[in-house]
Amino acid sequence: AQSVTQLGSHVSVSEGALVLLRCNYSSSVPPYLFWYVQYPNQGLQLLLKYTTGATLVKGINGFEAEFKKSETSFHLTKPSAHMSDAAEYFCAVSVADRGSTLGRLYFGRGTQLTVWP
Amino acid sequence: NAGVTQTPKFRILKIGQSMTLQCTQDMNHNYMYWYRQDPGMGLKLIYYSVGAGITDKGEVPNGYNVSRSTTEDFPLRLELAAPSQTSVYFCASSYSLVYEQYFGPGTRLTVT
C-alpha cells in the first residue's frame, strides 16, 4: 500500500507570508501527485497535479508544487498568503495497484492552514 | 453541468437502521468513488467503480455495499448502522486515473 505523509496537521502564517505545506510519499513506481483544498463544509477541489513532465507545477490561486523524486516529496508553496487561503489541504498519490490497471488515490491526513491578519 | 451531487446533506440514524447515500454525476465519467472523512484522518476509500456493473473494495469496505447499474449513479448502502460509521461521506468521479477527481459536497451522517 502507498502512504502519504503531511508534516504538520496545523500551519499558521500571517497574511502576506510564505505558505509551505509539506508532503512526502512512498511509492515503488512513478506516482501521480495531487494537492486538493477543502473549504469548510465543502467537498475537495483540485489545486494542482503532477503526472509527467515539468517537475514544478503551477495551480490555481497562486499555489505551486515541486516534485522531487530523490526526496519523494511534493511540497506546496505560495509566496504570499491571503486570508481566503485558510482551508484544509490534502496531498494525494495515485498509483496503479500491483497486477492491476485500476488505480486508487491515497490521501494524507490533511493540513489545516490558518492565516492571521 | 451540476457535476457530482449527493443526497442527503445530513442524516441522523439510529443504531441498526439502514440507509442509502445517493451519488450522481453528469460528466459521463467511468470512474466513481466513495470516501469517508474522519477528523485528522484524511479520506479513506470505501468502494470504487470503473464502470457500470464493475465495483471493487477500497480500504474500509466493511459495513457498506455499492452497486453501479448506470454510468451516472453510484449509491452507497449502509446496512445495520453502527456508531463507527458516523462520518462525512464524499462521492467523487473522474475520467481516468490520471485525471482529477471531482468531489460532491458530502453527506454528514451521525449514528446514535
Side-chain angles (χ1 to χ4, degrees):
Chain A
Q2 314 305 318
S3 70
V4 180
T5 303
Q6 292 184 238
L7 293 176
S9 57
H10 291 83
V11 170
S12 296
V13 300
S14 299
E15 193 170 21
L18 171 71
V19 175
L20 171 60
L21 305 182
R22 299 178 187 273
C23 174
N24 289 88
Y25 66 91
S26 68
S27 173
S28 58
V29 298
Y32 304 124
L33 299 161
F34 304 81
W35 274 101
Y36 285 84
V37 60
Q38 184 181 30
Y39 298 102
N41 299 315
Q42 294 186 25
L44 277 69
Q45 177 185 358
L46 183 72
L47 270 181
L48 50 79
K49 67 179 180 183
Y50 169 80
T51 54
T52 59
T55 56
L56 182 62
V57 180
K58 295 186 185 300
I60 62 172
N61 301 337
F63 284 93
E64 62 182 36
E66 186 171 11
F67 169 53
K68 292 187 176 181
K69 184 178 178 180
S70 61
E71 299 177 8
T72 60
S73 69
F74 191 56
H75 301 332
L76 181 71
T77 61
K78 182 174 180 178
S80 177
H82 191 272
M83 297 291 288
S84 61
D85 294 327
E88 190 156 23
Y89 292 80
F90 292 92
C91 181
V93 173
S94 181
V95 294
D97 288 339
R98 185 182 294 276
S100 169
T101 59
L102 303 180
R104 304 187 195 184
L105 201 58
Y106 294 87
F107 285 87
R109 295 190 173 192
T111 298
Q112 182 67 46
L113 176 66
T114 300
V115 181
W116 299 101
Chain B
N1 287 349
V4 179
T5 58
Q6 293 182 238
T7 57
K9 285 185 167 48
F10 304 93
R11 183 72 184 269
I12 299 174
L13 280 182
K14 293 189 185 302
I15 295 172
Q17 288 185 320
S18 301
M19 76 165 293
T20 299
L21 282 65
Q22 301 292 344
C23 175
T24 300
Q25 54 93 7
D26 62 0
M27 295 172 283
N28 202 33
H29 287 164
N30 285 325
Y31 287 64
M32 294 189 75
Y33 315 82
W34 274 106
Y35 295 92
R36 59 176 289 171
Q37 183 181 31
D38 301 300
M41 298 301 292
L43 278 76
K44 300 293 185 185
L45 182 66
I46 305 172
Y47 271 95
Y48 65 103
S49 169
V50 299
I54 307 171
T55 63
D56 204 353
K57 296 177 181 179
E59 300 171 78
V60 290
N62 291 343
Y64 307 95
N65 277 301
V66 293
S67 59
R68 184 96 181 271
S69 57
T70 66
T71 299
E72 295 78 19
D73 300 308
F74 191 40
L76 178 71
R77 178 80 177 165
L78 279 71
E79 304 282 1
L80 298 175
S84 61
Q85 294 178 304
T86 294
S87 188
V88 181
Y89 292 85
F90 288 101
C91 179
S93 72
S94 68
Y95 178 70
S96 75
L97 171 63
V98 303
Y99 286 83
E100 68 176 283
Q101 291 189 14
Y102 292 82
F103 284 79
T107 294
R108 187 174 297 272
L109 175 67
T110 301
V111 182
T112 63

